Amino acid sequence: MRLAFDLADEAATRALGGAVAKLVAPGDVVALRGALGAGKTTFARGLVSAAIGAEVEVPSPTYNLVQTYDAPQATIWHFDLYRLEAPGDLVELGWDEAAGGVALVEWPDRAGALLPRWRLDLTLEPKDGGGRLAVLEPRGEHWQRRLDGFRP
């Protein structure tokens, strides 16, 4: 299964994050893919704010590599692995602790073998003329069930 959505603007990207927030559960990983400026952090802002139930400042964790947010359902761990030197460095960032929460992972390929097979992959691509294309790919049966009939 693969779902694709046209996102007209930043607000639509945040709205997609808000819609996915209704689907995540403790132990989930959402792998965020796309070039610099594709909207990965914008998506994360929408998800975190929706999960918390209030508008929350969600800065890009590029320099800190990880930010955490206490949501009612679970702690949300927002990782940005762009500057990660080796997958083993994830342990120092709290990767093992994040297993009990929800992990949003920008630049997930840098996690190497630590990236779980069972996850939701989201790829954001800029479109000619503006907007973005968002592609959701469930990895694992539980994500396929959750995304059945999904519309942002």
Side-chain angles (χ1 to χ4, degrees):
M1 171 196 296
R2 184 175 183 234
L3 302 173
F5 301 101
D6 287 321
L7 306 174
D9 52 24
E10 202 169 287
T13 305
R14 286 178 62 103
L16 178 62
V20 171
K22 297 174 185 172
L23 304 178
V24 296
D28 282 342
V29 172
V30 180
L32 306 173
R33 301 173 191 282
L36 287 171
K40 298 178 296 293
T41 299
T42 300
F43 171 88
R45 287 182 183 118
L47 189 147
V48 170
S49 291
I52 290 175
E55 196 63 31
V56 177
E57 183 179 344
V58 179
S60 174
T62 299
Y63 295 102
N64 297 336
L65 302 182
V66 65
Q67 297 279 347
T68 59
Y69 304 91
D70 292 323
Q73 188 177 15
T75 298
I76 299 172
W77 296 73
H78 184 193
F79 293 92
D80 185 327
L81 306 184
Y82 184 74
R83 297 183 321 115
L84 193 73
E85 293 186 22
D89 295 342
L90 274 171
V91 175
E92 294 174 25
L93 298 176
W95 185 256
D96 294 337
E97 297 166 44
V102 173
L104 306 177
V105 185
E106 297 188 34
W107 305 97
D109 294 337
R110 296 182 186 215
L114 293 175
L115 187 67
R117 287 184 36 203
W118 310 112
R119 64 183 186 269
L120 177 62
D121 284 346
L122 167 68
T123 303
L124 294 163
E125 300 173 4
K127 292 176 57 179
D128 291 337
R132 298 175 176 91
L133 175 67
V135 178
L136 294 168
E137 295 184 77
R139 306 289 183 187
E141 193 174 303
H142 68 286
W143 270 113
Q144 290 178 0
R145 282 193 307 271
R146 287 188 220 170
L147 288 173
D148 187 34
F150 175 77
R151 294 286 174 258

